[in-house]
Every structure is written in C-alpha cells, then in structure tokens.
Amino acid sequence: MFAVTAARFDADNPISGLELGDHAEPVPPDGWTTVTVRAASLNHHDVWSLRGVGLSADRLPMILGCDAAGVDEDGNEVVVHAVIGDPTVAGGDETLDPSRSLLSERYDGTFAEQVAVPRRNLVRKPAALSFEEAACLPTAYLTAFRMLFDRAPVGPGSTVLVQGAGGGVATALILLGRAAGYRMWATSRSEAKRARALELGADQVFESGARLPERVDAVMETVGQATWAHSLRALRPGGTIVVSGATSGPVPPADLNRVFFLQLSVVGSTMGSRDELARLLTFCSQTGTRPVIDRTMPLSQAVQGFTALIDGEVFGKVVFTL
Ligand SMILES: NC(=O)c1ccc[n+]([C@@H]2O[C@H](COP(=O)([O-])OP(=O)(O)OC[C@H]3O[C@@H](n4cnc5c(N)ncnc54)[C@H](OP(=O)(O)O)[C@@H]3O)[C@@H](O)[C@H]2O)c1
C-alpha cells in the first residue's frame, strides 16, 4: 500500500527524512482492527517526528500521521482516536496511562491507505461531517476541546486569550470557544492571520505581545517561549494558563513572582479521551461547527503539505485524501 514515512531524522531539514512509496499492509494484532483511510490531517507533531522529537531511531521507518477518518472492516464510517493507551490504569482516561502513545510514535500512523488500531479507538463519524472535516478532529480539535472545556476553569461568558491564531490548535480553540459562548481573543504576528481569526469569530485580535484592554480569565498556550511572558501578563489575578504545546521553545523564564503573587495556575493538557472525541463529534453536529481547512491535497503530494506547515503558510488544517 502507499504510505508516507519518516525514514530518518533531520532537525534542520525535516522534509529530507520524508519518504513516499510502497509499504507492507498492517497486520492487526488481537483486539485491533484495520481502517481504510479516506482522509488524514497533518499536525505539527508530524514535523517534530521528522526532527527526531518524540520518536526513537530504532522505530524508523515509521508511517507518520495521527489523525484519520475512514471506513472500518464492516463498512462503517469512523473517526480514529489517536491515543493508544489503557483507560483502565488511570480512572478511564487513556491520556494518563504512563505508557500511552500517539499513532506514529510506537505504532504506524495514518498517512497510508490502511491503518491498524485497537477496536475501541474507533468512533462513529456523524453523517453531517465529511471525511476531510472529521479527519481534522482527533488531535488539534480534541486538544482544544479538553483545554477549553476540561482544563480551564472558565465557562460561557469568560474571556479567553489564544496565542498564535494561525495554528491548528489555535484555530480550533477560537471556533469551539466561540460556539460555546466564550469571549475569544487572539494574537498573531501576521495581520492576515488576525483578519482570518476575526472571520472565524474571535471577538478581538492583537499583535503578538500587544497590551490588552483588560486582563483575561484564561490563556490558551501552544506557542511557548515566544509568547509565555505575555501570557503571564495577560491574566487577571487567579487566572489560568492552559498549555498544550511549545512550538517556539519549551523553556521560557518562569516569572515565579508573578505566578505566586497573582495566584496564577499553570495547567498542562494533552489530547483527550475517546469519550471526549465522541463528545466533540456531537458538539460539531449540534452547533454546526466545522474545522477550518487551509488546503486539501492527495496524500501523494504530502511534501507540499509539510512544506507549507513548516513555512508557517497555513491557517487551519492541511488535509490529505486517499
Ligand atoms: N499536547 C497535545 O496534545 C498537543 C496536540 C496538538 C498539538 N500540540 C502542540 O501544540 C503546538 C501547536 O501545534 P499546531 O499544529 O496547532 O500549530 P503550529 O503550526 O505549531 O503553530 C502554532 C502557532 O504558533 C505561532 N508561532 C510559531 N512560532 C512562533 C514564534 N517564534 N513567535 C510567535 N508565534 C509563533 C504561530 O502563530 P502566528 O503565526 O499566528 O503568530 C503558529 O500559527 C505544537 O507545538 C504541537 O506539538 C500538542
């Protein structure tokens, strides 16, 4: 079958490690099943893998891709939950299983004609969502869903700042927060991306690092080092930063004086459970929310998709179809 793999690591030129071509079909172990992939979406995670972050050399070549929607062995339209973990070891939440992994870290991922996953990782795709739309949800949108609706102690009417409006998780945060009645503010370095964020439903947009008209209840962080100081300054006393990524670097100054004096909370968040993915799908059906797709292209053109993401040219998700 056709597949896109990480064949080697290159921290400076990640594209050079991509290989497109023939690969053996998966042989699902007991309790696993095979999905025929119809659409798969790209995440920054796939670029980290090519740089050698989160993937070990002894696992190469590895089929990349966390997200997919497709058809199961019985002909059902399904969405694949990307977290491979045991929900029974941590109170029903597989993301807390210490040995959990994401598809493409330990087991082959979704950038292929077929992917093998545990049977419980399949969630029915609502008919209202296309395969392309559904394929955007299991990583970026699920991460945003948990950040907003589980990890942040905020609710409808709260003011929430999203850093780096152009990213996949960031656009998901704006859309989901807006649909749930939050007042969503966003920053971006790019004027064009700020304009797009307003179109998506952001209430106000700001240049990265700009002074805000008032302090916010919560900040959603995926940028990391480049925006961390601003995130701390943006919070009202008692406010919360939810952090799920650090694209620009993971070790900013902690500014502990501000953290304790203003009684701020810093909360980590990673992916979401299978049940949250099912609720996210229902949320999209109920509210009419649909993921923002920057571009859709055949999987055979994966190099162009990776290049656009690495060059920061995308607003929303890059989707590969098969
Ligand atoms: N924990 C999890 O479960 C989870 C799940 C998904 C993703 N993530 C992580 O979350 C991060 C975001 O991923 P993503 O795929 O949504 O988007 P992404 O392509 O990594 O982009 C995030 C945004 O960061 C901003 N940015 C990047 N470098 C910057 C810099 N030097 N200064 C200021 N802003 C900068 C850009 O915003 P502007 O251009 O608009 O300024 C960009 O749109 C990644 O690190 C990813 O690994 C984690």
Side-chain angles (χ1 to χ4, degrees):
M1 66 175 182
F2 180 75
V4 173
T5 56
R8 66 200 78 83
F9 301 139
D10 189 328
D12 300 323
N13 182 16
I15 296 283
S16 69
L18 261 188
E19 265 183 23
L20 282 67
D22 203 35
H23 196 280
E25 288 185 6
V27 182
D30 271 359
W32 289 47
T33 187
T34 302
V35 173
T36 301
V37 178
R38 300 285 298 276
S41 79
L42 183 61
N43 291 290
H44 215 98
H45 185 277
D46 303 302
V47 179
W48 290 126
S49 299
L50 288 166
R51 293 191 202 273
V53 178
L55 179 61
S56 55
D58 58 321
R59 298 193 194 279
L60 298 179
M62 174 67 80
I63 300 178
L64 293 170
C66 301
D67 292 348
V71 178
D72 73 8
E73 287 172 340
D74 301 320
N76 301 307
E77 296 188 351
V78 294
V79 184
V80 174
H81 183 224
V83 182
I84 311 296
D86 181 352
T88 63
V89 300
D93 184 349
E94 54 271 55
T95 68
L96 296 176
D97 174 358
S99 57
R100 61 134 172 89
S101 67
L102 294 191
L103 281 174
S104 78
E105 290 176 352
R106 194 171 310 151
Y107 305 102
D108 275 326
T110 58
F111 293 168
E113 288 174 69
Q114 296 200 335
V115 61
V117 290
R119 218 173 280 281
R120 75 172 298 280
N121 282 51
L122 301 187
V123 180
R124 281 287 184 118
K125 178 182 87 60
L129 291 170
S130 67
F131 283 110
E132 289 84 350
E133 290 166 342
C136 296
L137 301 179
T139 297
Y141 280 71
L142 183 59
T143 301
F145 190 84
R146 172 172 282 203
M147 289 172 79
L148 278 174
F149 303 139
D150 180 63
R151 305 297 278 152
V154 291
S158 297
T159 303
V160 176
L161 179 70
V162 178
Q163 298 282 20
V169 177
T171 50
L173 285 161
I174 294 169
L175 278 173
L176 298 178
R178 173 67 188 221
Y182 295 16
R183 188 160 70 141
M184 301 305 292
W185 291 0
T187 67
S188 175
R189 297 165 296 177
S190 135
E191 192 177 345
K193 289 183 186 177
R194 291 196 294 275
R196 291 289 308 275
L198 284 174
E199 284 167 23
L200 283 187
D203 186 67
Q204 290 193 57
V205 290
F206 307 92
E207 278 183 45
S208 297
R211 189 179 175 84
L212 304 179
E214 64 187 77
R215 297 243 170 95
V216 302
D217 300 303
V219 180
M220 301 291 127
E221 239 321 334
T222 58
V223 181
Q225 212 151 302
T227 51
W228 187 255
H230 183 247
S231 295
L232 287 172
R233 285 200 309 276
L235 281 178
R236 65 160 169 76
T240 301
I241 296 183
V242 182
V243 53
S244 74
T247 299
S248 64
V251 198
D255 200 356
L256 291 176
N257 285 341
R258 184 174 285 273
V259 172
F260 71 74
F261 194 67
L262 295 178
Q263 302 186 69
L264 307 179
S265 298
V266 176
V267 176
S269 193
T270 284
M271 299 295 286
S273 66
R274 179 199 179 281
D275 291 347
E276 282 171 309
L277 177 60
R279 282 198 286 124
L280 167 61
L281 290 162
T282 304
F283 181 97
C284 290
S285 299
Q286 289 296 116
T287 61
T289 305
R290 295 292 180 271
V292 183
I293 297 177
D294 179 89
R295 63 193 80 185
T296 301
M297 56 182 65
L299 184 62
S300 55
Q301 292 172 17
V303 173
Q304 285 99 306
F306 273 82
T307 305
L309 185 73
I310 290 167
D311 291 347
E313 282 171 11
V314 304
F315 189 94
K317 298 286 290 173
V318 175
V319 179
F320 299 130
T321 51
L322 289 110

